[in-house]
Amino acid sequence: MSSLEHVTHPFAPEYDSASQILILGSFPSVQSRKQNFYYAHPQNRFWKVLGEIFNEEVGSTAKQKKAFLKSHHIALWDVIEQCSIHGSSDSSIRDVTPTNLSFLLEQSEITTIFCNGKKALQLFDRYQKPNGLHAIYLPSSSPANAAFRLDKLVEVWKPLILDALKKEHRK
């Protein structure tokens, strides 16, 4: 493996005081770091999955995606604040500094946390579970997750996301 690069997360979490669910990835891909926004790799299915769940166009710009997230009370962030990584490879991640989720949870209405992929959940369980937090696993939207086609991702994600949002509305 080529050398690892030590990287600090280059952009802030996406959330507002009305956010009800939080979706955490592991760490931004090279493409996302270059574009300074979440899930920027054109083959990542994250935005397509959300569009299918809500039967709505997400838009192609960061501004449109932020408006989409806000309209559906979804917050986005990653489990890792800093790490050593080779390119975009989750399997190469070392020397992790986890993100501090406390301020985000205190400044929003988040009641449910999801992890997009096994690595995100593994890191969440290692660094956040000791703080009493719990997360629900979502199969990765990454193109590296060839076991899940878009329709299968939507089939798994949709009831979990919609149920979490309905729970918040029932309170």
Side-chain angles (χ1 to χ4, degrees), residues 115-166:
C115 285
N116 183 0
K118 289 178 184 170
K119 188 65 170 189
L121 183 64
Q122 174 196 21
L123 292 164
F124 180 92
D125 285 349
R126 180 179 304 156
Y127 297 107
Q128 302 297 340
K129 224 177 194 176
N131 300 329
L133 297 176
H134 172 74
I136 298 167
Y137 167 75
L138 296 171
S140 176
S141 62
S142 166
N145 182 10
F148 278 79
R149 294 186 327 269
L150 177 62
D151 60 335
K152 182 68 175 166
L153 286 172
V154 172
E155 183 182 313
V156 174
W157 281 48
K158 187 173 186 171
L160 295 169
I161 299 285
L162 294 181
D163 186 56
L165 290 169
K166 283 180 194 160

Side-chain angles (χ1 to χ4, degrees), residues 103-116:
F103 81 89
L104 190 149
L105 297 174
E106 290 165 5
Q107 296 176 14
S108 69
E109 298 178 20
I110 292 169
T111 57
T112 306
I113 301 171
F114 294 97
C115 285
N116 183 0

